Amino acid sequence: MPSPMTDLHARRGSILIVDDQENNIRILERMLRKAGYQELFSTTDPRETPALFERHAPDLVLLDLHMPYLDGFGVLDRLAPHLAPGSYMPILVLTADISPEAKQRALSMGAKDFLAKPFDSTEVLLRIRNLLEARFLYLELQQQNDLLEQKVRIRTQELEDAQVEILDRLALAAEFRDDATQEHTQRVGEISARLARRMGMPADVVELVRRAAPLHDLGKIAVPDSILLKLGKLTDEEFAIIRSHTTIGARILSGSRHPLLQLAEQIALTHHEHWDGRGYQPGLGGERIPLVSRIVAVADVFDALTHARPYKKAWSVERACAEIRAQSGRQFDPQVVEAFLDLVARNELGPAAPRLQDDLEETVPRQYD
Ligand SMILES: [Fe+2]
């Protein structure tokens, strides 16, 4: 009765036999079948070895050394590219007599063990069992490593998802009082990402812009309701408090080592800067304003203009574009305006953005009239 280990190998172990002597192959096959090995493949033409190896993916190769056309060393050489790096693929060399030099050479070329001809069946089966045991232990370990890696990947993804969600919720917290649906921040993120892509930013930066832009008004969290939601005219002092949302937002986001938060900090600080230097804060102009902030500035104003606020109706896309065009070179970077108008003309601002043909004035809630 076979031992559990032999039984396991018989079920799982497939063996490829390469020997130019048909008779040797028959002897080995008979011996192996008797021991319970069922998946046996063989060839008397060593040149067929790589193709057979690919087709059957054996767990063990029994390889003769002295063969016509291609000897065992030649086979080892041709098999090398087919062995996965770091894998444990046992190759058992069969030979009548072998010098220490030839042994060294075969070992250095990937052979794992040697068997003397004529075969002693007990020895053959023991060697094969040992090699297969090592092979299966290796495969098991590899499987466990794969599982572990998969787990780590899933956990990392979960963490990243949680981080992104926290950022979304942070943006919502800032906008909650005048945009409880968070739609404005999300649209600004989407439009900014599309503009960034249109302006040639690399795909990974575009994704960062998509996530960072919604945080542009995070600092509004520190602006009191009485000012943020005030319908009447703001005093100079109240304006100053509103303006402080850029520096407060940047302060909340400052000191991070994550590129996403660093970008969000930059946007929060400079999204109210004007191309002509008349914005805030601190009043940079032209290309000293980070490009991403010049992009968010256009996206933010466009979205605000085309949506109703407690103190104003929604503007049509056409009217908003005319205003943005009028501000090119003043409030906005002319190149960003050009890219933006191009996106509008192509209806490529994103699924949630208003389009040229939309009649926005008609959709304004009555109470805002
Ligand atoms: Fe803002």
Short mmCIF file of all heavy atoms in Angstrom, two decimals, residues 3-56:
data_model
loop_
_atom_site.label_atom_id
_atom_site.label_comp_id
_atom_site.label_asym_id
_atom_site.label_seq_id
_atom_site.Cartn_x
_atom_site.Cartn_y
_atom_site.Cartn_z
N SER A 3 2.40 4.92 0.67
CA SER A 3 2.31 5.85 1.80
C SER A 3 1.52 7.07 1.34
O SER A 3 1.39 7.31 0.14
CB SER A 3 3.71 6.28 2.22
OG SER A 3 4.22 7.18 1.26
N PRO A 4 0.98 7.84 2.31
CA PRO A 4 0.18 9.01 1.91
C PRO A 4 0.98 9.95 1.02
O PRO A 4 0.46 10.52 0.08
CB PRO A 4 -0.16 9.67 3.25
CG PRO A 4 0.01 8.60 4.27
CD PRO A 4 1.02 7.65 3.75
N MET A 5 2.31 10.10 1.33
CA MET A 5 3.13 11.04 0.56
C MET A 5 3.27 10.53 -0.89
O MET A 5 3.13 11.29 -1.83
CB MET A 5 4.49 11.19 1.22
CG MET A 5 5.33 12.32 0.66
SD MET A 5 4.49 13.90 0.69
CE MET A 5 5.16 14.59 2.18
N THR A 6 3.53 9.19 -1.04
CA THR A 6 3.67 8.63 -2.39
C THR A 6 2.36 8.81 -3.14
O THR A 6 2.32 9.16 -4.31
CB THR A 6 4.02 7.13 -2.30
OG1 THR A 6 5.06 6.98 -1.37
CG2 THR A 6 4.43 6.59 -3.65
N ASP A 7 1.28 8.58 -2.41
CA ASP A 7 -0.04 8.70 -3.01
C ASP A 7 -0.27 10.13 -3.50
O ASP A 7 -0.73 10.35 -4.61
CB ASP A 7 -1.08 8.32 -1.96
CG ASP A 7 -2.46 8.18 -2.58
OD1 ASP A 7 -2.52 7.60 -3.67
OD2 ASP A 7 -3.42 8.70 -1.99
N LEU A 8 0.12 11.08 -2.65
CA LEU A 8 -0.04 12.50 -2.99
C LEU A 8 0.74 12.82 -4.26
O LEU A 8 0.25 13.46 -5.18
CB LEU A 8 0.47 13.35 -1.81
CG LEU A 8 0.36 14.85 -1.98
CD1 LEU A 8 -1.09 15.28 -1.85
CD2 LEU A 8 1.20 15.56 -0.94
N HIS A 9 2.02 12.32 -4.30
CA HIS A 9 2.85 12.60 -5.47
C HIS A 9 2.30 11.94 -6.71
O HIS A 9 2.35 12.49 -7.79
CB HIS A 9 4.28 12.11 -5.21
CG HIS A 9 4.95 12.92 -4.14
ND1 HIS A 9 6.12 12.53 -3.57
CD2 HIS A 9 4.60 14.06 -3.55
CE1 HIS A 9 6.46 13.42 -2.65
NE2 HIS A 9 5.54 14.36 -2.63
N ALA A 10 1.77 10.72 -6.51
CA ALA A 10 1.23 10.01 -7.66
C ALA A 10 0.07 10.79 -8.26
O ALA A 10 -0.10 10.84 -9.47
CB ALA A 10 0.76 8.63 -7.23
N ARG A 11 -0.70 11.41 -7.40
CA ARG A 11 -1.85 12.18 -7.88
C ARG A 11 -1.39 13.48 -8.52
O ARG A 11 -1.91 13.89 -9.53
CB ARG A 11 -2.79 12.49 -6.71
CG ARG A 11 -3.89 11.46 -6.56
CD ARG A 11 -4.98 11.94 -5.64
NE ARG A 11 -4.51 12.04 -4.26
CZ ARG A 11 -4.40 13.18 -3.61
NH1 ARG A 11 -4.73 14.30 -4.19
NH2 ARG A 11 -3.96 13.21 -2.36
N ARG A 12 -0.39 14.10 -7.91
CA ARG A 12 -0.04 15.45 -8.34
C ARG A 12 1.18 15.53 -9.25
O ARG A 12 1.35 16.51 -9.95
CB ARG A 12 0.22 16.33 -7.11
CG ARG A 12 -1.01 16.50 -6.26
CD ARG A 12 -0.65 17.09 -4.95
NE ARG A 12 -0.06 18.41 -5.10
CZ ARG A 12 0.58 19.06 -4.12
NH1 ARG A 12 0.70 18.50 -2.95
NH2 ARG A 12 1.09 20.25 -4.33
N GLY A 13 2.04 14.51 -9.18
CA GLY A 13 3.30 14.64 -9.89
C GLY A 13 3.23 14.18 -11.34
O GLY A 13 2.86 13.04 -11.61
N SER A 14 3.56 15.07 -12.25
CA SER A 14 3.67 14.64 -13.64
C SER A 14 5.15 14.65 -14.00
O SER A 14 5.90 15.53 -13.58
CB SER A 14 2.86 15.56 -14.55
OG SER A 14 3.36 16.86 -14.48
N ILE A 15 5.54 13.64 -14.78
CA ILE A 15 6.97 13.43 -15.03
C ILE A 15 7.23 13.33 -16.53
O ILE A 15 6.50 12.65 -17.25
CB ILE A 15 7.44 12.13 -14.31
CG1 ILE A 15 7.20 12.26 -12.79
CG2 ILE A 15 8.91 11.84 -14.61
CD1 ILE A 15 7.47 11.00 -12.00
N LEU A 16 8.26 14.04 -16.97
CA LEU A 16 8.69 13.97 -18.37
C LEU A 16 10.01 13.20 -18.44
O LEU A 16 10.97 13.55 -17.75
CB LEU A 16 8.86 15.41 -18.92
CG LEU A 16 9.47 15.55 -20.31
CD1 LEU A 16 8.60 14.89 -21.37
CD2 LEU A 16 9.67 17.03 -20.65
N ILE A 17 10.02 12.14 -19.25
CA ILE A 17 11.24 11.32 -19.37
C ILE A 17 11.87 11.58 -20.74
O ILE A 17 11.20 11.48 -21.77
CB ILE A 17 10.89 9.82 -19.24
CG1 ILE A 17 10.08 9.56 -17.96
CG2 ILE A 17 12.16 8.97 -19.25
CD1 ILE A 17 9.45 8.17 -17.89
N VAL A 18 13.17 11.93 -20.72
CA VAL A 18 13.89 12.17 -21.97
C VAL A 18 15.07 11.20 -22.04
O VAL A 18 16.03 11.33 -21.26
CB VAL A 18 14.40 13.64 -22.04
CG1 VAL A 18 15.05 13.90 -23.40
CG2 VAL A 18 13.27 14.62 -21.77
N ASP A 19 14.97 10.24 -22.94
CA ASP A 19 16.04 9.23 -23.07
C ASP A 19 15.99 8.68 -24.50
O ASP A 19 14.91 8.36 -24.99
CB ASP A 19 15.81 8.10 -22.05
CG ASP A 19 17.07 7.24 -21.87
OD1 ASP A 19 17.69 6.89 -22.88
OD2 ASP A 19 17.40 6.94 -20.70
N ASP A 20 17.15 8.60 -25.15
CA ASP A 20 17.13 8.13 -26.54
C ASP A 20 16.87 6.63 -26.63
O ASP A 20 16.53 6.13 -27.69
CB ASP A 20 18.44 8.50 -27.25
CG ASP A 20 19.64 7.84 -26.58
OD1 ASP A 20 19.73 7.95 -25.34
OD2 ASP A 20 20.46 7.23 -27.28
N GLN A 21 17.00 5.91 -25.51
CA GLN A 21 16.75 4.46 -25.52
C GLN A 21 15.30 4.17 -25.13
O GLN A 21 14.91 4.35 -23.98
CB GLN A 21 17.68 3.75 -24.52
CG GLN A 21 19.16 3.95 -24.76
CD GLN A 21 19.63 3.25 -26.02
OE1 GLN A 21 19.25 2.10 -26.28
NE2 GLN A 21 20.46 3.93 -26.82
N GLU A 22 14.55 3.74 -26.10
CA GLU A 22 13.14 3.40 -25.89
C GLU A 22 13.00 2.43 -24.69
O GLU A 22 12.10 2.58 -23.86
CB GLU A 22 12.61 2.74 -27.18
CG GLU A 22 11.14 2.39 -27.14
CD GLU A 22 10.25 3.57 -27.50
OE1 GLU A 22 10.65 4.37 -28.36
OE2 GLU A 22 9.18 3.71 -26.88
N ASN A 23 13.93 1.49 -24.63
CA ASN A 23 13.87 0.47 -23.60
C ASN A 23 13.96 1.07 -22.19
O ASN A 23 13.22 0.68 -21.28
CB ASN A 23 15.03 -0.52 -23.84
CG ASN A 23 14.76 -1.81 -23.11
OD1 ASN A 23 13.62 -2.21 -22.98
ND2 ASN A 23 15.83 -2.43 -22.60
N ASN A 24 14.87 2.05 -22.03
CA ASN A 24 15.00 2.71 -20.73
C ASN A 24 13.70 3.40 -20.33
O ASN A 24 13.28 3.38 -19.17
CB ASN A 24 16.11 3.77 -20.78
CG ASN A 24 17.49 3.13 -20.66
OD1 ASN A 24 17.59 1.97 -20.25
ND2 ASN A 24 18.51 3.87 -21.04
N ILE A 25 13.08 4.03 -21.31
CA ILE A 25 11.81 4.73 -21.04
C ILE A 25 10.75 3.74 -20.57
O ILE A 25 10.07 3.99 -19.57
CB ILE A 25 11.33 5.49 -22.30
CG1 ILE A 25 12.29 6.66 -22.59
CG2 ILE A 25 9.90 6.00 -22.11
CD1 ILE A 25 11.92 7.49 -23.79
N ARG A 26 10.67 2.60 -21.26
CA ARG A 26 9.65 1.59 -20.87
C ARG A 26 9.89 1.12 -19.44
O ARG A 26 8.95 0.98 -18.66
CB ARG A 26 9.69 0.38 -21.83
CG ARG A 26 9.32 0.68 -23.25
CD ARG A 26 7.86 1.13 -23.40
NE ARG A 26 7.75 2.02 -24.55
CZ ARG A 26 7.48 3.32 -24.48
NH1 ARG A 26 7.24 3.89 -23.32
NH2 ARG A 26 7.42 4.05 -25.58
N ILE A 27 11.16 0.83 -19.11
CA ILE A 27 11.47 0.35 -17.74
C ILE A 27 11.03 1.39 -16.71
O ILE A 27 10.36 1.06 -15.72
CB ILE A 27 12.99 0.07 -17.60
CG1 ILE A 27 13.39 -1.11 -18.49
CG2 ILE A 27 13.36 -0.21 -16.15
CD1 ILE A 27 14.89 -1.33 -18.57
N LEU A 28 11.40 2.65 -16.96
CA LEU A 28 11.06 3.72 -16.01
C LEU A 28 9.55 3.88 -15.90
O LEU A 28 9.00 4.02 -14.80
CB LEU A 28 11.70 5.05 -16.45
CG LEU A 28 13.19 5.20 -16.14
CD1 LEU A 28 13.79 6.35 -16.92
CD2 LEU A 28 13.40 5.41 -14.64
N GLU A 29 8.89 3.86 -17.05
CA GLU A 29 7.42 4.05 -17.02
C GLU A 29 6.74 2.94 -16.22
O GLU A 29 5.85 3.21 -15.42
CB GLU A 29 6.88 4.06 -18.46
CG GLU A 29 7.06 5.42 -19.12
CD GLU A 29 6.47 5.47 -20.52
OE1 GLU A 29 6.22 4.39 -21.10
OE2 GLU A 29 6.26 6.59 -21.01
N ARG A 30 7.20 1.72 -16.46
CA ARG A 30 6.60 0.59 -15.75
C ARG A 30 6.78 0.76 -14.24
O ARG A 30 5.86 0.62 -13.44
CB ARG A 30 7.25 -0.73 -16.21
CG ARG A 30 6.25 -1.90 -16.20
CD ARG A 30 6.85 -3.17 -16.77
NE ARG A 30 7.41 -2.99 -18.12
CZ ARG A 30 8.65 -3.38 -18.48
NH1 ARG A 30 9.46 -3.94 -17.63
NH2 ARG A 30 9.06 -3.20 -19.72
N MET A 31 8.01 1.09 -13.86
CA MET A 31 8.36 1.29 -12.46
C MET A 31 7.49 2.40 -11.82
O MET A 31 6.95 2.25 -10.73
CB MET A 31 9.84 1.71 -12.42
CG MET A 31 10.52 1.55 -11.10
SD MET A 31 12.17 2.28 -11.26
CE MET A 31 12.97 1.18 -12.40
N LEU A 32 7.36 3.50 -12.55
CA LEU A 32 6.64 4.66 -12.02
C LEU A 32 5.13 4.38 -11.93
O LEU A 32 4.47 4.74 -10.95
CB LEU A 32 6.90 5.90 -12.89
CG LEU A 32 8.33 6.45 -12.77
CD1 LEU A 32 8.62 7.45 -13.88
CD2 LEU A 32 8.54 7.10 -11.41
N ARG A 33 4.60 3.72 -12.96
CA ARG A 33 3.17 3.41 -12.93
C ARG A 33 2.85 2.48 -11.76
O ARG A 33 1.85 2.66 -11.07
CB ARG A 33 2.75 2.73 -14.24
CG ARG A 33 2.49 3.73 -15.34
CD ARG A 33 1.76 3.12 -16.52
NE ARG A 33 2.12 3.82 -17.74
CZ ARG A 33 1.74 5.05 -18.03
NH1 ARG A 33 0.94 5.70 -17.18
NH2 ARG A 33 2.12 5.64 -19.14
N LYS A 34 3.73 1.53 -11.55
CA LYS A 34 3.54 0.58 -10.45
C LYS A 34 3.50 1.34 -9.11
O LYS A 34 2.77 0.97 -8.19
CB LYS A 34 4.70 -0.44 -10.44
CG LYS A 34 4.23 -1.84 -10.08
CD LYS A 34 5.36 -2.81 -10.28
CE LYS A 34 5.28 -3.94 -9.26
NZ LYS A 34 6.49 -4.76 -9.29
N ALA A 35 4.29 2.41 -9.03
CA ALA A 35 4.34 3.20 -7.78
C ALA A 35 3.19 4.21 -7.72
O ALA A 35 3.10 4.97 -6.76
CB ALA A 35 5.67 3.92 -7.69
N GLY A 36 2.37 4.23 -8.75
CA GLY A 36 1.18 5.09 -8.69
C GLY A 36 1.26 6.38 -9.50
O GLY A 36 0.30 7.14 -9.54
N TYR A 37 2.37 6.64 -10.14
CA TYR A 37 2.46 7.86 -10.96
C TYR A 37 1.71 7.63 -12.28
O TYR A 37 1.93 6.64 -12.95
CB TYR A 37 3.93 8.20 -11.26
CG TYR A 37 4.70 8.59 -10.03
CD1 TYR A 37 5.45 7.64 -9.32
CD2 TYR A 37 4.67 9.89 -9.55
CE1 TYR A 37 6.14 7.98 -8.17
CE2 TYR A 37 5.37 10.25 -8.41
CZ TYR A 37 6.09 9.29 -7.72
OH TYR A 37 6.78 9.64 -6.60
N GLN A 38 0.82 8.55 -12.57
CA GLN A 38 -0.02 8.32 -13.75
C GLN A 38 0.26 9.30 -14.89
O GLN A 38 0.04 8.97 -16.05
CB GLN A 38 -1.50 8.41 -13.34
CG GLN A 38 -1.96 7.14 -12.68
CD GLN A 38 -3.10 7.33 -11.72
OE1 GLN A 38 -3.69 8.41 -11.68
NE2 GLN A 38 -3.41 6.31 -10.96
N GLU A 39 0.71 10.49 -14.53
CA GLU A 39 0.94 11.47 -15.59
C GLU A 39 2.38 11.37 -16.07
O GLU A 39 3.27 12.04 -15.52
CB GLU A 39 0.65 12.88 -15.07
CG GLU A 39 -0.81 13.22 -15.09
CD GLU A 39 -1.02 14.68 -14.72
OE1 GLU A 39 -0.80 15.54 -15.57
OE2 GLU A 39 -1.35 14.92 -13.54
N LEU A 40 2.60 10.54 -17.07
CA LEU A 40 3.96 10.31 -17.57
C LEU A 40 4.01 10.69 -19.04
O LEU A 40 3.13 10.32 -19.81
CB LEU A 40 4.35 8.84 -17.39
CG LEU A 40 4.24 8.28 -15.96
CD1 LEU A 40 4.57 6.79 -15.95
CD2 LEU A 40 5.17 9.01 -15.00
N PHE A 41 5.05 11.44 -19.40
CA PHE A 41 5.26 11.81 -20.80
C PHE A 41 6.70 11.48 -21.13
O PHE A 41 7.57 11.51 -20.25
CB PHE A 41 5.02 13.32 -21.00
CG PHE A 41 3.74 13.79 -20.35
CD1 PHE A 41 3.76 14.39 -19.10
CD2 PHE A 41 2.53 13.59 -20.99
CE1 PHE A 41 2.59 14.81 -18.49
CE2 PHE A 41 1.35 14.00 -20.38
CZ PHE A 41 1.38 14.62 -19.13
N SER A 42 6.94 11.17 -22.39
CA SER A 42 8.33 10.79 -22.73
C SER A 42 8.65 11.11 -24.18
O SER A 42 7.76 11.30 -25.01
CB SER A 42 8.52 9.30 -22.47
OG SER A 42 7.67 8.57 -23.34
N THR A 43 9.96 11.16 -24.44
CA THR A 43 10.43 11.30 -25.81
C THR A 43 11.81 10.66 -25.95
O THR A 43 12.60 10.69 -25.00
CB THR A 43 10.49 12.77 -26.25
OG1 THR A 43 10.97 12.83 -27.59
CG2 THR A 43 11.41 13.61 -25.38
N THR A 44 12.07 10.10 -27.14
CA THR A 44 13.41 9.59 -27.41
C THR A 44 14.21 10.62 -28.21
O THR A 44 15.38 10.43 -28.47
CB THR A 44 13.33 8.27 -28.24
OG1 THR A 44 12.48 8.49 -29.36
CG2 THR A 44 12.81 7.13 -27.39
N ASP A 45 13.54 11.73 -28.58
CA ASP A 45 14.23 12.80 -29.32
C ASP A 45 14.43 14.01 -28.40
O ASP A 45 13.49 14.75 -28.12
CB ASP A 45 13.40 13.21 -30.54
CG ASP A 45 14.14 14.24 -31.39
OD1 ASP A 45 15.16 14.79 -30.91
OD2 ASP A 45 13.69 14.48 -32.52
N PRO A 46 15.67 14.19 -27.91
CA PRO A 46 15.91 15.27 -26.92
C PRO A 46 15.53 16.65 -27.45
O PRO A 46 15.24 17.55 -26.66
CB PRO A 46 17.41 15.18 -26.66
CG PRO A 46 17.99 14.36 -27.77
CD PRO A 46 16.89 13.45 -28.24
N ARG A 47 15.52 16.82 -28.78
CA ARG A 47 15.21 18.15 -29.35
C ARG A 47 13.75 18.55 -29.10
O ARG A 47 13.38 19.70 -29.20
CB ARG A 47 15.50 18.16 -30.86
CG ARG A 47 16.99 18.02 -31.16
CD ARG A 47 17.24 17.70 -32.60
NE ARG A 47 16.66 16.40 -32.97
CZ ARG A 47 16.86 15.81 -34.16
NH1 ARG A 47 17.60 16.38 -35.06
NH2 ARG A 47 16.30 14.64 -34.42
N GLU A 48 12.92 17.54 -28.78
CA GLU A 48 11.50 17.84 -28.53
C GLU A 48 11.26 18.31 -27.09
O GLU A 48 10.15 18.72 -26.75
CB GLU A 48 10.67 16.56 -28.73
CG GLU A 48 10.46 16.17 -30.17
CD GLU A 48 9.59 14.92 -30.28
OE1 GLU A 48 9.29 14.31 -29.23
OE2 GLU A 48 9.21 14.58 -31.40
N THR A 49 12.29 18.23 -26.25
CA THR A 49 12.09 18.48 -24.80
C THR A 49 11.43 19.84 -24.49
O THR A 49 10.43 19.88 -23.76
CB THR A 49 13.41 18.35 -24.02
OG1 THR A 49 14.08 17.18 -24.48
CG2 THR A 49 13.16 18.26 -22.53
N PRO A 50 11.95 20.97 -25.02
CA PRO A 50 11.32 22.25 -24.65
C PRO A 50 9.84 22.31 -25.00
O PRO A 50 9.02 22.77 -24.20
CB PRO A 50 12.12 23.29 -25.46
CG PRO A 50 13.44 22.63 -25.72
CD PRO A 50 13.13 21.17 -25.89
N ALA A 51 9.48 21.78 -26.19
CA ALA A 51 8.06 21.82 -26.61
C ALA A 51 7.21 20.96 -25.68
O ALA A 51 6.12 21.37 -25.25
CB ALA A 51 7.93 21.34 -28.05
N LEU A 52 7.72 19.76 -25.33
CA LEU A 52 6.97 18.89 -24.42
C LEU A 52 6.86 19.51 -23.03
O LEU A 52 5.83 19.41 -22.36
CB LEU A 52 7.66 17.52 -24.31
CG LEU A 52 7.48 16.59 -25.50
CD1 LEU A 52 8.38 15.36 -25.38
CD2 LEU A 52 6.02 16.14 -25.59
N PHE A 53 7.93 20.15 -22.61
CA PHE A 53 7.95 20.82 -21.30
C PHE A 53 6.88 21.90 -21.25
O PHE A 53 6.13 22.02 -20.27
CB PHE A 53 9.34 21.42 -21.07
CG PHE A 53 9.51 22.01 -19.70
CD1 PHE A 53 9.88 21.21 -18.63
CD2 PHE A 53 9.29 23.35 -19.47
CE1 PHE A 53 10.04 21.74 -17.36
CE2 PHE A 53 9.44 23.90 -18.20
CZ PHE A 53 9.81 23.08 -17.15
N GLU A 54 6.77 22.68 -22.32
CA GLU A 54 5.76 23.74 -22.38
C GLU A 54 4.36 23.16 -22.39
O GLU A 54 3.46 23.66 -21.72
CB GLU A 54 5.96 24.59 -23.64
CG GLU A 54 7.05 25.65 -23.52
CD GLU A 54 6.75 26.66 -22.41
OE1 GLU A 54 5.63 27.19 -22.37
OE2 GLU A 54 7.65 26.89 -21.57
N ARG A 55 4.17 22.07 -23.17
CA ARG A 55 2.83 21.50 -23.33
C ARG A 55 2.33 20.85 -22.04
O ARG A 55 1.20 21.01 -21.65
CB ARG A 55 2.84 20.47 -24.47
CG ARG A 55 1.42 20.14 -24.96
CD ARG A 55 1.44 19.10 -26.08
NE ARG A 55 2.48 19.40 -27.07
CZ ARG A 55 3.10 18.45 -27.80
NH1 ARG A 55 2.80 17.19 -27.63
NH2 ARG A 55 4.02 18.81 -28.67
N HIS A 56 3.21 20.10 -21.35
CA HIS A 56 2.74 19.30 -20.21
C HIS A 56 3.06 19.91 -18.85
O HIS A 56 2.54 19.44 -17.85
CB HIS A 56 3.34 17.90 -20.29
CG HIS A 56 2.98 17.16 -21.54
ND1 HIS A 56 1.67 16.82 -21.84
CD2 HIS A 56 3.72 16.73 -22.59
CE1 HIS A 56 1.63 16.19 -23.00
NE2 HIS A 56 2.86 16.14 -23.49
#
